Structure formats: structure tokens, C-alpha cells
Amino acid sequence: MTNSSKSTTILIKNAQINSGGNQLQPQELLIQAGKITAMATEIPIPANFSGQIFDAEHHLVSPGLVDLHVHLRDPGQTYKETIATGSQAAARGGFTYIGAMPNLTPAPDTPAQLAVMNQRNQTEGVVHIGQYATLTTDRRGDQLVDFAGLAATGVLAFSNDGSGIQTADTMYRAMLAAKAVNKPVAAHVEDDSLRHGGVLNAGAKARELGLPGLLEVVQTAQLARDLVLAQATGVHYHVCHVATAAELTLIRQAKAAGVQVTCEVSPHHLLLADQDIPGDDANYKMNPPLRTESDRQAMVAGLLDGTIDCIATDHAPHSQAEKEQGFRQAPFGIVGSETAFALLYTKFVQTGIFTLAQLLNWLSQRPAALFQLNQVGRLVVGGPADLALFDLDHTAPIMVQTFASKGQNSPFIGWPVAGHTVATMVAGQFVYQRQEVQR
Ligand code: DOR
Ligand code: ZN
């Protein structure tokens, strides 16, 4: 981010803030030198005011959203995404802080390469980017990274996302090392020996399409192992993208037993089940796969009962050519940054299943607190002016032509949604402003 206009004063007039439940109340904010310096129901325009006045037109102002799980592909696969386009996509979704996964080439697996990434993220990203480092060298084998050196360089957490750690001893030693530097292990749980070449949930849809299925034990067998290891080591163990009721049963038991375990769920696992897959369309192919409708319902219940701690998108851009290969050949993953808030607001808040306050908490304050991110995910006087404005009233279809991401691989194109982002601000500067005026 550039600091060029950080000194600009901006007065945001006529916004509305969520004050619990679904309540909205008028809110105006004064932004100076990148910080929020005043918040009140009404802030009169001072005499001789020389700053910018932004009329929020009664849209919702929220803390900038926080996404602990995105793939930026840069370096290594910049035809899919770059730090610039991926962070612009985040900004367009109302996110001001993202956690970037380390499945990159080269991977951030040494302090030197992590330092390169931290520098590039800061200069090329339009939002705040926390960088994950890998658990093992190049995400392979059993050679652990330099946890102390990476922590000292500035790491968000450690993860081999994209694949599981195949041996218990490697995970055990990684957990001890992460615990020693007080950083979370963010686990993609997947036992390769149980994959059996599967490409979607093992069940009726896989049989209907004649495609190999993924059993739920692919995740649960490794998750059960890891929960035992997390208890033995005392590490903060964060489970990425939970998708089955069986995983929640294990996590619920572990939480009750005092294991320091947290977890995230993706919007797609809250919104879709395998029965919704319309045919051999790889825009429905992701890892973990869409599970059953009762698993999907368990994800919703898991958020509401606190078993699931937060929502993270797993934004995973791929090229159109790759995704056109169909379920057998296409890579796993879908984009999520630009559709998450609007989809979840429309499908869960407008329908009365979640309150707006709950949804915002799972997308901002809660993930920031989980990873001990100071001054992230909250709107407070004296804090950074990282915020988003959302249009809760106007419903319009999700249009791929408007994506900032290079990825167009989404099963949600055309879905009519409310909650489109109007503007996103990072450190007092607009990093996204809606062009198309929709009333
Ligand atoms: O669907 C996925 N895509 N799941 C992962 O774990 C990795 C990701 C990717 O990097 O494409
Ligand atoms: Zn993953």
C-alpha cells in the first residue's frame, strides 16, 4: 500500500452501523491520517473543512472483513492470480485483511523467502496481507521449516494447505515447534492413502455422474490423529475448511476436553451440497468436496452453537481452460473473495437464520481474535480506518464480468444477491469503490 494520501481527512456521512442483532443505527465517521478519529450518530461538517466528504447514502458500514484463507498464486501461477489482483478481489468483497496460503513456487519456507513475500505483499497488495509459511520444506516430506526464524521474520501462522501432513511424527514435531513460537498450525486435513482418486463426495451424485468419490474418512482419520497430537502438544490447532458433520463431532469433543482447537468453514460448504452439482461442471469441484445436505446443515448449526469459530473463503482461483476439463481433470478450488458477504447476507441474514451481527462477527472480529491480530476486525475510535460499506437493499445478480480476480471459477455466477460492496477503505484510503450505480 502506498502512503501517499494517508494524510487526507475524510468525513463519512450518512452511514449505518450494526448495533447488535439486525439493528442498524445512523453512524458518521471522521478519518484522519489513516485512523478513525471520531464516530458519532452525527458529525457536523466543521467550518472551513478541507477534507473529502463521502456520502454513504445510508449503506451499512462495517469493520473491514477478515479472511484467514486465500490463495494468491504469486509467485508460481500468476496466470491464475497475482498479489495485486487477489488483493483487489478481496477489497471488492469488503475484506481488508487476508491470510495468504503458502502453496507457492517458491514456497515461503525459509526466513529469506518469507521476507520477500512480506515485502511484496505490502507493496503490491491493496489490503493487509498476513503470510502463512509452510510446515515442511516446499510442503513435502518430513523436513520441518525453521519455525523460530520464520516467526521472527513475521508470519501469520504455519500451514501446508493444499495437502495434509501424512505422518504423525512430522505433525507432532511441527506442533511442538509452532507451540514454541506461539503461532497456530492451520491444518488442511487429508489422508492421501484414503483418497482413492476421488474428485467429489462419495455418494449418490458421484454414482450418478460415474465419478470416483471421496469418503469422509479422508478428513476425519487425519483430524482424529491431529486432535490427539494437539492435546499432547498444547498447540493452537486451527482446522481449515471443515465440511462434514463427523468433523464437527470430533472438534466438539476436543473442545470439551480442553484442546486448543478452532476451525473455519467456507461459504460454499454453508451454501451447497453434492446434490446441487448440476453435472460434470468443475466449478463445483473443490477440496474438501461439497458434502451431503445434512453435512451442509450441520455447518450452519455448527456456527450457531460455536463449534465453528469463523468463516473463511478458501478463495482458490484457476484458469478457465483448467476448469473446462471437467471433474476428473480440473484442479480443486473456487474463487470466493468477491461473493462471500453478499451470498451469506442474502441466504442467511435475509432469511433470518443468522443475525447480521453474527455474520459480521464470523467475518471480522472473530477470525482476527483467533489469530491474535491486533487492531484488525473492529471499528473503534483510535483504530485504523479499515472498513467496508455494503448495500443491503439492492438485489442484483453476481456478474463474473465485474470480478477483480483473474479467476472466474465460481458456481454462484448469476445468483441474485443483496449486500454488494459499495466501498472498501484500508488505512483511510479507498481501495475499492463501486462504479456501477445501482439503486
Ligand atoms: O479446493 C482447494 N483449492 N482446496 C485446497 O485445499 C487448495 C486450493 C488450491 O490451492 O487451489
Ligand atoms: Zn485447504
Side-chain angles (χ1 to χ4, degrees):
M1 278 163 289
T2 59
N3 293 330
S4 53
S5 54
K6 248 192 181 168
S7 55
T8 312
T9 298
I10 302 176
L11 177 56
I12 300 180
K13 296 288 288 178
N14 304 317
Q16 297 206 78
I17 197 165
N18 174 247
S19 54
N22 289 320
Q23 298 293 108
L24 295 178
Q25 67 176 48
Q27 186 82 159
E28 302 193 334
L29 301 93
L30 186 64
I31 316 289
Q32 289 171 303
K35 290 193 181 328
I36 301 170
T37 52
M39 287 174 69
T41 306
E42 193 185 348
I43 303 177
I45 301 170
N48 303 324
F49 184 71
S50 63
Q52 178 191 346
I53 293 169
F54 184 89
D55 185 353
E57 296 180 355
H58 307 289
H59 293 311
L60 172 72
V61 61
S62 85
L65 304 184
V66 177
D67 187 352
L68 293 177
H69 195 143
V70 305
H71 296 272
L72 297 180
R73 311 295 192 207
D74 183 0
Q77 296 182 308
T78 52
Y79 66 96
K80 299 187 193 214
E81 197 76 293
T82 64
I83 295 167
T85 59
S87 65
Q88 283 159 9
R92 189 163 175 275
F95 293 94
T96 59
Y97 186 101
I98 53 178
M101 282 299 176
N103 54 340
L104 304 169
T105 313
D109 58 5
T110 62
Q113 187 54 24
L114 178 64
V116 169
M117 290 311 302
N118 284 343
Q119 179 64 40
R120 289 196 57 205
N121 288 338
Q122 206 186 332
T123 53
E124 296 168 43
V126 302
V127 303
H128 302 292
I129 303 175
Q131 181 65 54
Y132 286 87
T134 60
L135 291 159
T136 60
T137 301
D138 204 23
R139 297 194 313 122
R140 284 182 286 106
D142 59 359
Q143 191 187 336
L144 295 189
V145 296
D146 171 7
F147 283 74
L150 289 159
T153 305
V155 74
L156 173 60
F158 295 90
S159 180
N160 269 20
D161 186 55
S163 28
I165 298 279
Q166 298 307 314
T167 63
D169 177 59
T170 303
M171 188 49 127
Y172 179 67
R173 289 184 292 116
M175 285 180 174
L176 287 175
K179 165 78 178 167
V181 297
N182 193 28
K183 291 289 177 187
V185 167
H188 170 119
V189 287
E190 181 169 14
D191 185 320
D192 289 347
S193 71
L194 290 164
R195 288 179 61 179
H196 305 161
V199 295
L200 79 169
N201 182 51
K205 182 59 73 170
R207 287 192 293 277
E208 177 193 319
L209 296 175
L211 292 168
L214 287 159
L215 300 165
E216 68 179 22
V217 290
V218 174
Q219 272 79 41
T220 50
Q222 193 167 95
L223 176 59
R225 175 201 80 182
D226 280 3
L227 290 169
V228 171
L229 298 175
Q231 182 155 40
T233 59
V235 73
H236 174 190
Y237 176 71
H238 178 79
V239 189
C240 294
H241 40 57
V242 293
T244 58
E247 286 168 283
L248 296 192
T249 300
L250 290 169
I251 291 167
R252 205 172 278 126
Q253 283 170 356
K255 283 190 169 187
V259 180
Q260 204 196 336
V261 53
T262 60
C263 65
E264 67 188 36
V265 65
S266 73
H268 44 277
H269 290 116
L270 288 163
L271 289 158
L272 294 171
D274 64 346
Q275 67 186 36
D276 301 315
I277 300 171
D280 189 2
D281 179 350
N283 285 329
Y284 292 79
K285 179 180 180 181
M286 67 290 282
N287 190 14
L290 299 174
R291 293 297 190 176
T292 67
E293 173 59 16
S294 76
D295 285 317
R296 187 196 70 76
Q297 289 172 17
M299 296 305 113
V300 177
L303 273 172
L304 288 169
D305 73 18
T307 307
I308 301 176
D309 296 273
C310 70
I311 300 169
T313 67
D314 197 5
H315 176 79
H318 294 292
S319 75
Q320 248 173 304
E322 287 167 325
K323 279 301 200 179
E324 276 164 9
Q325 299 174 98
F327 255 96
R328 270 182 203 274
Q329 297 298 327
F332 291 96
I334 64 169
V335 290
S337 298
E338 296 175 75
T339 55
F341 178 80
L343 283 166
L344 296 169
Y345 175 74
T346 304
K347 296 295 173 183
F348 293 108
V349 178
Q350 283 194 331
T351 54
I353 298 167
F354 302 155
T355 65
L356 178 59
Q358 285 173 319
L359 179 60
L360 290 174
N361 183 41
W362 294 323
L363 282 169
S364 58
Q365 199 175 322
R366 188 83 183 114
L370 290 186
F371 279 22
Q372 296 177 31
L373 303 173
N374 289 327
Q375 299 215 306
V376 176
R378 309 188 75 150
L379 270 190
V380 286
V381 173
D386 296 343
L387 55 85
L389 289 155
F390 295 104
D391 179 350
L392 301 184
D393 303 317
H394 183 83
T395 299
I398 292 171
M399 291 193 299
V400 75
Q401 298 84 349
T402 62
F403 278 10
S405 173
K406 287 191 184 184
Q408 307 194 340
N409 47 314
S410 167
F412 301 114
I413 307 302
W415 283 37
V417 289
H420 292 273
T421 313
V422 175
T424 305
M425 177 180 272
V426 172
Q429 295 181 59
F430 286 109
V431 291
Y432 171 74
Q433 272 183 271
R434 182 167 67 176
Q435 300 299 320
E436 60 278 31
V437 178
Q438 296 170 323
R439 280 172 224 267

